[in-house]
Amino acid sequence: MRPGINATQTERIIQALERAGYQATPNRRLVAELVASADGHFTAAHLLDRGRRERVTIGRATVFRALDLLTTLRVVERLDLPSGSHAYVLCDPDEHHHHLICSSCGRSEDVADGELPALIERIGRRSGYRIEAHRLELFGTCPRCAGAEADR
Amino acid sequence: MRPGINATQTERIIQALERAGYQATPNRRLVAELVASADGHFTAAHLLDRGRRERVTIGRATVFRALDLLTTLRVVERLDLPSGSHAYVLCDPDEHHHHLICSSCGRSEDVADGELPALIERIGRRSGYRIEAHRLELFGTCPRCAGAEADR
DNA sequence: GGCCGAATGATACCAGGTCTCATTCGGTGC
DNA sequence: GCACCGAATGAGACCTGGTATCATTCGGCC
């Protein structure tokens, strides 16, 4: 097994695939491993690169298709970084949450805040809109990076 | 003057440019007019299209450059639609706010909620992150579109 | 072992956006 | 009014992220 692979996470992803009735093909396993071992957010290009460095060949389209699949299974979510580019993060499919992203190292954390729904409901009432979806993204510096910064 | 142009908005945009020390060239004026008369959010391609239909020639790069400029002046903001594509909206540069976007007609409204900062501060404290930026986007159906739907 | 639909890879393609570079424009000093 | 210089422009090449097409291959099931 490759170094840095988180076997439990990989299994979790594979199981999500199988539970939804998709084949756990070698390619999808590979993508699952790459995703599970990514530290923080990543892009499709990033996965392809890592794959290539480990001498595994996998088509670009296949990676995109796998990410798509994982996105619809909510195992992975697509982020819009402030730069305007897209990235993906591994996350918990079971509860609604938002992402807190470290702008320095890219690590991401799921945050659930119980009060956001109330706030959104209030905005809906005030504006007359029927609010159907929302997205909250938080960007900052994680404790580890903040510590490293302070050390210098 | 073109039909549907909101002269006051156009002037507001031009003034923001001049205040920041940029030339209010005919091209930038044109972009300002197109932006001011857009109903809801729009893309660069959309502006180019409208320009072309009105037989005005303006380079693609110029439109992107103008939008960039307006974005840094905060007269316009870039949105990330749920589809993953980008759009721009005209908005108020003077106060921090978020966008409420009608998924049916694309109209967008600025919303300011006084309680969000407190919520974010709480998340920061709980997670240990130093939160530096955030983005909240709300998607739904505006009263007008909801009404039209109900009529059918 | 054979069948069939799902998965794959190569490749072409598309959209949104950026870069480059030669040209033109506009404001300023004279 | 004119010359000058930096800012703005347009054309087009280019890049990146992502999608569509299509022939081939794979995997699970009978």
Side-chain angles (χ1 to χ4, degrees):
Chain A
M1 173 154 311
R2 291 179 190 77
I5 293 237
N6 182 329
T8 328
Q9 283 291 359
T10 309
E11 271 327 296
R12 201 170 62 77
I13 299 174
I14 301 285
Q15 276 164 24
L17 275 172
E18 290 180 332
R19 226 178 311 129
Y22 294 99
Q23 294 176 30
T25 64
N27 270 336
R28 307 229 247 236
R29 263 173 198 288
L30 173 60
V31 172
E33 285 184 7
L34 289 173
V35 166
S37 64
D39 192 22
H41 57 67
F42 53 88
T43 62
H46 185 157
L47 296 189
L48 276 164
D49 248 31
R50 280 193 30 233
R52 216 167 306 127
R53 228 172 305 148
E54 301 178 17
R55 286 139 229 258
V56 197
T57 51
I58 182 167
R60 215 161 85 88
T62 306
V63 170
F64 277 106
R65 280 188 285 240
L67 284 177
D68 235 45
L69 211 50
L70 296 181
T71 304
T72 64
L73 297 178
R74 321 243 263 123
V75 169
V76 142
E77 256 174 53
R78 193 142 92 164
L79 296 181
D80 296 293
L81 303 182
S83 67
S85 60
H86 290 156
Y88 300 83
V89 263
L90 179 60
C91 65
D92 181 350
D94 295 328
E95 78 179 288
H96 178 75
H97 63 268
H98 301 283
H99 295 281
L100 177 48
I101 299 139
C102 176
S103 352
S104 159
C105 68
R107 191 168 295 112
S108 144
E109 219 148 290
D110 291 3
V111 290
D113 190 286
E115 283 165 61
L116 193 58
L119 193 153
I120 287 170
E121 215 242 288
R122 208 165 340 117
I123 293 176
R125 222 168 327 116
R126 221 158 37 206
S127 64
Y129 274 57
R130 186 173 69 229
I131 298 182
E132 283 142 8
H134 65 273
R135 174 164 58 193
L136 174 65
E137 278 163 9
L138 302 159
F139 303 95
T141 312
C142 73
R144 208 192 305 178
C145 288
E149 233 173 64
D151 284 351
R152 263 183 286 117
Chain B
M1 173 159 309
R2 291 180 190 76
I5 294 236
N6 182 331
T8 327
Q9 284 290 359
T10 309
E11 270 326 295
R12 200 170 62 77
I13 299 173
I14 302 286
Q15 276 164 25
L17 275 172
E18 291 181 333
R19 229 179 308 130
Y22 294 100
Q23 295 176 30
T25 64
N27 269 334
R28 308 230 246 238
R29 263 171 199 287
L30 173 62
V31 172
E33 284 184 8
L34 290 171
V35 166
S37 64
D39 194 20
H41 57 67
F42 54 87
T43 62
H46 185 157
L47 296 190
L48 275 164
D49 249 31
R50 280 189 34 231
R52 216 168 306 126
R53 230 173 301 147
E54 300 179 16
R55 284 141 231 255
V56 196
T57 51
I58 183 168
R60 219 162 82 88
T62 305
V63 170
F64 277 106
R65 282 189 282 239
L67 284 176
D68 236 45
L69 210 50
L70 296 181
T71 305
T72 65
L73 297 179
R74 322 244 262 121
V75 169
V76 143
E77 257 174 53
R78 195 142 91 164
L79 295 181
D80 296 293
L81 303 181
S83 67
S85 59
H86 291 155
Y88 301 82
V89 263
L90 180 59
C91 66
D92 183 351
D94 296 328
E95 78 176 291
H96 178 76
H97 62 268
H98 300 283
H99 294 281
L100 177 49
I101 298 138
C102 176
S103 354
S104 159
C105 68
R107 191 169 293 112
S108 144
E109 220 148 293
D110 291 2
V111 291
D113 191 285
E115 282 164 63
L116 193 57
L119 193 152
I120 287 171
E121 216 243 288
R122 211 169 332 123
I123 293 176
R125 221 170 325 117
R126 220 158 39 207
S127 64
Y129 274 56
R130 185 175 69 230
I131 298 183
E132 282 141 10
H134 65 273
R135 174 163 59 195
L136 174 65
E137 277 164 11
L138 303 160
F139 303 95
T141 312
C142 73
R144 210 194 304 181
C145 288
E149 235 173 61
D151 284 350
R152 259 184 290 116

